[in-house]
Structures are given as structure tokens and as C-alpha cells.
Amino acid sequence: MSDPYGGEPQGLPCVLSEEVTELLMDADLPGEAFGAIVAATVLINETRGEVPGSTSGRWAQQRRMPLGTYGSLGIAEYVIVADADPPHIVVTRVQLY
């Protein structure tokens, strides 16, 4: 993504793992969960992975964030791949309650 006004690019591309893609394609996935996952990817992109309230995982690049109000729907896990060309973020797993 680039800024049409010549400024620094905002956000980082956010891609989904195969597991998360399959979950989003599941016709039985409740709309509330679908919306929360999509909203999470937007927030992850806009903040370059530094989502307020996210926690670190085993590695410095790994993060977890709550889905839904106070995490009522579950948790999304993602990895910031800052040293890749181009840098990006991968949503690796979604655990729904």
C-alpha cells in the first residue's frame, strides 16, 4: 500500500493462513464471529500489528488479540513478518469460544 500523497505507507498487508481462510469460508460461522475476524485484520493492518491490548506470544513477532467485546468471541493470533520483502502480517490462527 502506498500513500497517494507521497507520505510513508500506512499499515502492513495482512494475509490469512489457510486455516483462517477456511474458517471464514465456513457457512456455519456466525456473522458476529466473521465480522470480528474481518475487523481484527483491518485493525492489525492499520496499526502495523501493534494492536492496543494485544499480547506477545512465544516470539517477539507473535501476537494475540481478543475478538469481540473483552474477548467474548475468542482470540486471534498473528505474526509480524517485518524482515520479509515486502514486510507483512499473517493471521495464523483464530480460536473461537
Side-chain angles (χ1 to χ4, degrees):
M1 270 186 288
S2 62
D3 183 351
Y5 302 106
E8 179 134 347
Q10 302 297 311
L12 284 176
C14 187
V15 298
L16 306 175
S17 69
E18 286 184 32
E19 177 183 326
V20 176
T21 299
E22 288 177 16
L23 175 64
L24 285 174
M25 300 293 286
D26 185 344
D28 293 328
L29 180 68
E32 186 178 45
F34 180 89
I37 296 167
V38 171
T41 62
V42 171
L43 186 57
I44 290 167
N45 168 272
E46 290 176 346
T47 62
R48 301 176 69 84
E50 299 299 328
V51 176
S54 67
T55 59
S56 294
R58 290 184 184 167
W59 308 284
Q61 307 89 344
Q62 182 184 26
R63 302 277 193 282
R64 294 185 183 104
M65 68 176 286
L67 293 173
T69 306
Y70 303 111
S72 62
L73 296 175
I75 297 172
E77 295 180 355
Y78 60 97
V79 176
I80 302 168
V81 192
D83 56 353
D85 186 25
H88 61 282
I89 298 169
V90 179
V91 178
T92 56
R93 186 170 161 231
V94 171
Q95 179 179 345
L96 298 173
Y97 301 134

